[in-house]
């Protein structure tokens, strides 16, 4: 199966934004005349691309052939992005294409130059294949990057990579990971230091004026000349050479980052189907632990229950703070999501749908369940420290502090019906949370009393009084 | 040609998906941080000052969102003092509910080691209760609180750490706790007296603090001056390296001078001037190693343009250890006469080693010190009214 039609059929967006493929007769004729028999191989493809590139300024048809080919490659890159990230980050192919698939196959581009033009202007067949080069430029496209960033995906630029490293780290990477020789490393360090001296000054200057945001731009010709000057004061080096050396250095750092990321633990996005963790049963390992926890609960049961409601109030109030309308919006959704999670047992995905968020990770980020539970625990402990004499003294003993924290954590995750015969679990409450942990049970009762209307006010509800 | 799935996977595996716990840096924070860095006169420190400030603002933003009940006091934060802002890779002077906190800015490159400056580990005045790692993604304009460590726990294991020639300790990242909830527990429910730290020997001496910091700045590695390929190695344009000097112990040819050495206004090349001075100095009994090399720097002390020659050399002791020496010569850079109350001082970690005052009709001041490769020296020029200027410290880091 031949795929040479990619050299005369252009993929583009029509006026309504839909994708279509057009055959360009001029390109087809030219291609079939000049390349009648093609073997399907990467080498053949590279040779063709190079041959077309060499004559493209004289032959309009050759230029057109390249543009057609590029359009397919751009499409594939976007397709790949959608498949990898579209679902989790909430975007589709149709969202991406308008940024980069902007060549309509016509000849009149005096005012606006499609991406394909830029790709071909800077293309050097000696340095890479056309497909790799295209993918690279799509990946670097400024507006596309902005869009991806808004959806939570980000590409670190070469210039930021170079900015963020230092000679000591570079030394380590180049010797331990890339196994370069000492002279090679010295020269790389010298290059980095010259880059830093020039590029960072400019970056700082722009930041001072509030001028820049987003990607670090490639160094200007002037900057490259300054870098060359610092590096070799007495030899003239072309800015282009410096640029390529810098890019090659950045590439080495990237490779190391990629490799290292696989080896070091990274934070991962929550499983979209995460169930409420707090419902997990905390089974004690030994009898001592059980009795220790029971003892704790029995000793401070009264204080803990009262303090618990107060701790809920503190922890929730803090989440509902924020004066901006965006913060207010978040606050509303937070309270509802909290209720859905703890009291109705919905998953992150289900909650996202209900509260109108696009992706599961947004729910996770909003709820921050672990932090919430931690805050409740801390406020609980603060309260107990204030009231219970024995605990006040423990203020200065750190091991006891940790023990207490753990005891409270365990107490909150204990299954209630195993541990406490609670008079509240009778039919008087509208909804009876008779199972589940102490934490979630109490929280649900508290949230019920908050009267969760479109404008929730934490002052409306008082916790259950025992 | 179609893309192999592998190729695209590789290209786009470089896309960095953000950490859920990342905190955005506001545009005003970025601007303020850049403005603070601009106030730092030492150019080589400006970027560090910028990062240190970003660490503070990012940390504040994180704390504000995560635990607004916890109060941060930033009145004495190092980033607001231009002489301190970028001296070391740390932001100190911050307290949280009276706990002393030191922020360590790190970059996003994965690493299992964290560099801590010697001064914030060994010096009681600088020792915090907690070190907190703040990862800064400058381009992405966000920070991530990466982890924290109690200083007393670090000190307990200090013998396991190695001090590098850059005066930094490499601390395993594994020692840091990446769960900040545990840190909040301390700030909310404990008090500083619970953490036992060595107390400063005497009352905090401002001068001592100042020069400790100066000593901890990035140092000039003078060992490079002694190497053959000196022309290509000197990237720091503030120091002008001179060809090998002729010393009493070994005459060296001056060799071809490649590149122009600027001839100052008094129509005598620095090289010639130095040779004359050295001849006089050696007559006083000062000994220079046979591999001695010199460089000079012109700078202003108040309104006086001065020139400092630094002559470096090294020798092998009988026991095989390396000893290096620094001969500092302070004179005038132009025709303008020297201030009569000029003082030259060389200090190290322990304090002032030597001090010289300008004699009547004196044309220059000089002093020599000697040390091991672990030592650093700080050269300070000052006047009677307190005006003083310290150059970045000299170190000797042989391969």
């Amino acid at each position: 199966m031949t795929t040479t039609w990619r050299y005369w059929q252009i993929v583009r967006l029509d006026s309504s934004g839909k994708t279509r493929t057009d055959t360009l007769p001029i390109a087809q004729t030219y291609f079939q005349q000049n390349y009648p028999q093609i073997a399907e191989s990467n080498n053949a493809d590279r040779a063709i691309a190079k041959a077309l590139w060499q004559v493209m300024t004289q032959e309009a048809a050759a230029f057109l052939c390249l543009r057609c080919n590029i359009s397919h490659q751009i499409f594939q890159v976007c397709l790949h992005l959608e498949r990898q990230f579209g679902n989790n980050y909430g975007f589709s192919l149709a969202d991406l294409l308008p940024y980069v698939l902007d060549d309509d196959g016509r000849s009149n581009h005096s005012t606006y130059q499609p991406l394909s033009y830029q790709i071909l202007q800077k293309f050097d067949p000696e340095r890479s294949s056309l497909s790799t080069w295209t993918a690279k430029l799509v990946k670097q496209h400024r507006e596309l990057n902005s869009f991806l960033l808004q959806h939570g995906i980000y590409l670190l630029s070469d210039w930021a990579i170079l900015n963020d490293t230092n000679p000591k780290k570079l030394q380590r990477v180049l010797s331990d990971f890339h196994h370069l020789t000492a002279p090679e490393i010295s020269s790389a360090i010298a290059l980095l230091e010259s880059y830093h001296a020039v590029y960072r000054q400019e970056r700082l200057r722009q930041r001072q004026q509030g001028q820049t945001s987003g990607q670090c731009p490639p160094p200007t010709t002037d900057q490259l000349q300054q870098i060359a000057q610092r590096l070799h004061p007495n030899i003239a080096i072309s800015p282009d050479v410096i640029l390529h050396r810098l890019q090659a250095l950045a590439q080495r750092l990237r490779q190391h980052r990629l490799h290292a990321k696989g080896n070091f633990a990274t934070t991962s996005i929550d499983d979209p189907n995460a169930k409420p963790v707090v419902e997990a049963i905390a089974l004690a390992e030994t009898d001592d632990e059980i009795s220790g926890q029971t003892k704790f609960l029995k000793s401070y049961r009264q204080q803990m229950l009262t303090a618990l409601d107060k701790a809920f109030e503190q922890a929730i109030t803090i989440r509902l703070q924020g004066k901006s309308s965006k913060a207010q919006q978040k606050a509303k959704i937070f309270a509802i999501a909290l209720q859905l999670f703890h009291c109705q047992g919905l998953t992150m995905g289900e909650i996202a749908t209900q509260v109108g968020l696009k992706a599961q990770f947004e729910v996770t980020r909003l709820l921050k369940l672990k932090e919430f539970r931690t805050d409740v625990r801390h406020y609980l402990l603060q309260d107990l420290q204030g009231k219970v004499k024995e605990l006040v003294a423990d203020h200065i003993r750190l091991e006891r502090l940790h023990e207490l924290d753990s005891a409270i954590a365990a107490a909150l995750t204990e299954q209630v019906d195993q541990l406490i015969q609670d008079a509240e679990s009778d039919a008087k409450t509208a909804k009876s949370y008779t199972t589940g942990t102490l934490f979630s049970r109490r929280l649900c009762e508290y949230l019920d009393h908050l009267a969760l209307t479109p404008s929730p006010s934490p002052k409306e509800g008082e916790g259950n009084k025992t | 040609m179609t893309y192999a799935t592998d190729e695209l996977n590789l290209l786009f595996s470089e896309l960095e998906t953000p950490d859920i716990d990342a905190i955005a840096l506001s545009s005003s924070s970025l601007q303020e941080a850049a403005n603070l860095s601009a106030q730092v006169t030492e150019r080589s420190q400006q970027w560090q000052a910028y990062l240190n400030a970003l660490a503070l603002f990012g940390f504040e933003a994180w704390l504000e969102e995560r635990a607004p009940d916890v109060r941060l006091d930033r009145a004495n934060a190092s980033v607001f003092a231009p002489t301190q802002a970028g001296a070391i890779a740390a932001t100190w002077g911050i307290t949280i509910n009276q706990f002393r906190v030191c922020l360590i800015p790190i970059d996003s490159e994965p690493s299992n080691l964290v560099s801590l400056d010697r001064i914030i580990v060994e010096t009681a005045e600088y020792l915090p209760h907690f070190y907190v790692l703040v990862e800064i993604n400058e381009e992405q304009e966000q920070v991530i609180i990466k982890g924290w460590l109690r200083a007393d726990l670090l000190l307990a294991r200090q013998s396991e750490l190695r001090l590098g020639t850059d005066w930094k300790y490499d601390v395993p990242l594994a020692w840091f706790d990446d769960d900040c909830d545990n840190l909040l527990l301390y700030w909310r429910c404990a008090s500083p007296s619970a953490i036992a730290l060595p107390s400063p020997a005497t009352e905090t001496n401002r001068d001592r603090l100042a020069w400790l910091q100066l000593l901890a700045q990035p140092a000039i590695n003078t060992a490079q001056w002694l190497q053959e390929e000196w022309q290509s190695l000197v990237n720091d344009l503030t120091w002008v390296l001179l060809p090998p000097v002729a010393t009493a112990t070994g005459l060296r040819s001056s060799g071809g001078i490649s590149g122009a050495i600027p001839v100052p206004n008094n129509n005598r090349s620095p090289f010639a001037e130095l040779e004359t001075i050295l001849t006089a100095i050696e007559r006083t009994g000062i000994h220079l190693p046979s591999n001695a090399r010199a460089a000079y720097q012109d700078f202003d002390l108040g309104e006086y343009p001065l020139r400092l020659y630094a002559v470096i050399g090294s020798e092998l002791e009988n026991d095989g250890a390396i000893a290096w020496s620094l001969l500092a010569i302070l004179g005038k850079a132009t025709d303008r006469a020297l201030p009569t109350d000029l003082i030259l001082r060389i200090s190290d970690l322990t304090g002032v080693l030597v001090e010289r005052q300008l004699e009547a009709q004196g044309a220059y001041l000089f002093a020599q010190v000697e040390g091991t490769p672990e030592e650093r020296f700080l050269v300070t020029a000052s006047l009677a009214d307190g005006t003083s200027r310290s150059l970045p410290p000299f170190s000797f880091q042989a391969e």
Side-chain angles (χ1 to χ4, degrees), chain B residues 23-282:
Chain B
I23 303 286
L25 288 165
S26 68
S27 44
S28 57
S29 294
L30 290 158
Q31 198 166 1
E32 193 184 342
N35 285 334
L36 286 171
S37 79
Q39 291 172 28
V40 175
T41 41
E42 201 62 57
R43 261 209 164 179
S44 57
Q45 292 179 8
Q46 283 176 345
W47 188 258
Q48 188 61 58
Y50 174 61
L51 294 179
N52 289 344
L54 289 181
L56 175 62
F57 301 141
F59 178 75
E60 279 184 324
W62 170 78
L63 199 62
E64 178 63 36
E65 189 184 312
R66 175 70 190 87
D69 55 306
V70 173
R71 293 270 160 268
L72 179 144
D73 182 356
R74 46 122 97 170
N76 295 317
S78 54
V79 297
F80 298 118
T83 50
Q84 298 171 352
I88 57 176
T91 303
W92 44 276
I94 301 160
T95 60
I96 294 177
N97 288 1
Q98 293 176 339
F99 284 97
R100 292 198 301 273
V101 173
C102 185
L103 305 176
I104 314 289
I106 58 177
D107 61 55
S108 58
E109 202 178 300
S111 170
N112 55 5
L113 291 173
V114 175
S115 271
L116 289 190
D117 275 89
R118 177 179 195 171
I119 213 176
I120 52 176
V121 176
E122 292 184 2
T123 317
E125 292 94 336
Y126 285 88
L127 208 57
H129 291 101
F130 299 101
Y131 302 104
V132 177
L133 301 180
V134 183
E135 180 182 294
I136 301 184
N137 295 315
E138 199 271 340
E139 182 180 49
Q140 205 181 347
E141 300 171 2
Q142 55 180 224
V143 304
I144 302 170
I145 312 302
K146 262 318 208 217
W148 60 277
L149 177 59
R150 260 168 57 186
D152 59 334
L153 298 181
L154 172 76
L155 289 176
R157 300 175 72 173
Q158 197 181 348
S159 54
E160 297 174 50
L161 297 175
R162 200 184 61 92
L163 181 67
T165 49
D166 59 354
W167 272 26
K168 291 180 202 258
Y169 284 101
D170 282 332
V171 181
L173 184 65
W175 288 16
F176 290 80
D177 185 347
D178 63 358
D179 187 345
C180 290
D181 287 347
N182 294 335
L183 184 53
L184 288 176
L185 179 65
Y186 287 110
W187 291 340
R188 283 170 167 157
C189 302
S191 52
S193 47
I195 298 180
L197 291 177
S199 47
T202 52
E203 195 193 291
T204 308
N205 184 329
R206 262 188 178 271
D207 286 339
R208 180 175 143 80
L209 280 185
W211 102 57
L212 272 178
Q213 249 197 75
L214 290 171
L215 264 177
Q217 286 172 72
I220 303 160
N221 180 11
T222 59
Q224 288 185 332
W225 297 2
L226 303 185
Q227 290 168 18
E228 286 302 318
E229 305 84 22
W230 61 270
Q231 289 99 327
S232 59
L233 283 173
V234 177
N235 288 308
D236 187 345
L237 296 183
T238 48
W239 281 96
V240 183
L241 197 58
L242 296 172
V245 292
T247 69
T249 46
L251 275 173
R252 306 265 236 116
S253 70
S254 54
I257 303 173
S258 65
I261 294 180
V263 177
N265 291 340
N266 57 14
N267 278 332
R268 229 166 44 118
S269 78
F271 184 71
E273 184 184 36
L274 179 64
E275 274 196 317
T276 311
I277 296 177
L278 281 181
T279 314
I281 288 181
E282 279 185 298

Side-chain angles (χ1 to χ4, degrees), chain A residues 45 131 152 154 157 257 370, chain B residues 1 3 7 16 18 108 139 181:
Chain A
D45 230 24
S131 56
Y154 158 68
S157 72
R257 288 174 81 111
K370 180 177 170 291
Chain B
M1 183 198 98
Y3 287 103
E7 183 183 1
E16 318 229 339
S108 58
E139 182 180 49
D181 287 347

Side-chain angles (χ1 to χ4, degrees), chain A residues 408-449:
Chain A
I408 292 177
L412 292 176
T413 53
E414 286 291 334
Q415 286 292 326
V416 171
D417 51 18
Q418 283 182 11
L419 217 49
I420 294 183
Q421 306 295 327
D422 199 330
E424 291 162 318
S425 66
D426 60 20
K428 278 189 189 164
T429 51
K431 289 190 183 116
S432 60
Y433 302 103
T434 51
T435 56
T437 64
L438 175 60
F439 182 93
S440 59
R441 216 178 128 259
R442 247 350 240 241
L443 178 62
C444 292
E445 285 171 5
Y446 178 82
L447 288 174
D448 274 354
H449 284 88

